[in-house]
Amino acid sequence: MNNILTIDGPSGVGKGTVARVMAQKLGWSLLDSGAIYRTFALAVDARGINIGDEDALEDIAQTLDLTFKTEEDSELVSVFLDGKDVSKILRTEQTGEMASKIASIGVVRSALLKRQQDFAQNTPGLVADGRDMGTVVFFEAPFKVFLTASSKERAQRRLKQLQAQGTTGIISQILADVVARDERDSSRKNSPLKPAKDAFIIDTTELSIDEVIAQVSKLVKQ
Ligand code: C5P
């Protein structure tokens, strides 16, 4: 498929927002691959599976009952696990941390690969955000973006996001979490967080969302 835009980068960089706006602008589908890893982590936790038990992890990955539902007249996407709305718990730092630990396991990544690639079926185009969209899952995508920002700026953005969701956090703790998660995601053996060789890298530290969207839109038009 020709119409795939991948948006990768570290946590808190704003990938989700950029991906959602780009999908709306282009009329393409959206894949939030982090939500898949987060939902998977919740399922593993709920079933009390030991993360060393690779057979059980593979089994859950293959049978995961996960659905995304976009609310009408809203940009919010609700996520359902086994028919239950898990959208709120999905976005917590604790779930992100669990997802990051589980996402470093090879059998988990390969079992979730096809599920992610299927999002590119039966759609005019796909915007996919995550850590390895441009390097692994959609390595043949024609449009690849890698977003970066200083860890301090990303911690600030995460705090704002938490506040918008009606919760809050302590900036020093959020900064420590963001740094630890990126370190784990970048140093893992399986699909580490890194830009694809042919990705367009944007340092968003000093940029507004609109400025980032403008740069990404220019890339897709070209
Ligand atoms: O993007 P988000 O913060 O929702 O991702 C949660 C975790 O899932 C990340 O820290 C990362 O470890 C993992 N992940 C991944 N590959 C992706 C997307 C997310 O390993 N494509």
Side-chain angles (χ1 to χ4, degrees):
M1 129 114 62
N2 285 327
N3 294 337
I4 299 183
L5 165 63
T6 62
I7 304 180
D8 289 305
S11 40
V13 77
K15 300 180 298 286
T17 309
V18 175
R20 203 171 52 230
V21 174
M22 287 307 301
Q24 264 166 7
K25 271 171 88 95
L26 295 163
W28 293 0
S29 304
L30 179 65
L31 164 62
D32 171 0
S33 62
I36 295 186
Y37 284 97
R38 284 169 182 261
T39 312
F40 178 76
L42 285 180
V44 170
D45 190 48
R47 282 160 220 194
I49 305 292
N50 181 319
I51 67 168
D53 185 347
E54 297 203 341
D55 286 344
L57 291 180
E58 203 170 3
D59 189 47
I60 294 187
Q62 264 147 15
T63 54
L64 192 69
D65 176 8
L66 161 69
T67 33
F68 290 96
K69 205 171 124 203
T70 309
E71 302 302 330
E72 244 176 71
D73 302 326
S74 157
E75 53 182 32
L76 285 180
V77 177
S78 300
V79 184
F80 294 81
L81 169 62
D82 297 329
K84 192 173 142 223
D85 190 344
V86 291
S87 315
K88 209 157 180 194
I89 186 167
L90 204 69
R91 294 284 148 225
T92 62
E93 282 305 304
Q94 199 195 349
T95 307
E97 183 71 14
M98 282 196 310
S100 166
K101 285 184 183 146
I102 284 178
S104 65
I105 303 170
V107 290
V108 171
R109 301 204 74 86
S110 25
L112 292 176
L113 182 67
K114 186 164 179 301
R115 195 179 266 266
Q116 295 171 78
Q117 289 171 333
D118 283 347
F119 276 77
Q121 303 298 319
N122 308 317
T123 175
L126 179 71
V127 181
D129 90 72
R131 303 293 186 291
D132 62 342
M133 299 294 100
T135 50
V136 179
V137 181
F138 301 109
F139 65 95
E140 286 179 324
F143 312 112
K144 298 183 185 179
V145 172
F146 190 88
L147 303 181
T148 65
S150 72
S151 45
K152 227 169 138 187
E153 174 63 23
R154 290 186 288 115
Q156 291 286 1
R157 290 179 190 171
R158 180 70 15 122
L159 178 64
K160 275 196 197 140
Q161 206 179 31
L162 288 174
Q163 287 167 341
Q165 289 163 2
T167 48
T168 189
I170 301 163
I171 190 74
S172 57
Q173 187 58 52
I174 297 175
L175 180 63
D177 289 348
V178 157
V179 170
R181 188 133 70 89
D182 292 343
E183 172 57 27
R184 189 183 304 113
D185 289 347
S186 310
S187 61
R188 69 183 176 213
K189 201 174 81 218
N190 303 302
S191 311
L193 165 68
K194 64 171 183 196
K197 285 199 182 73
D198 49 350
F200 178 54
I201 300 176
I202 308 176
D203 182 345
T204 68
T205 310
E206 307 280 333
L207 301 179
S208 67
I209 281 287
D210 288 347
E211 287 168 324
V212 180
I213 301 287
Q215 289 200 25
V216 179
S217 302
K218 205 166 139 198
L219 173 83
V220 177
K221 274 191 201 124
Q222 275 170 0

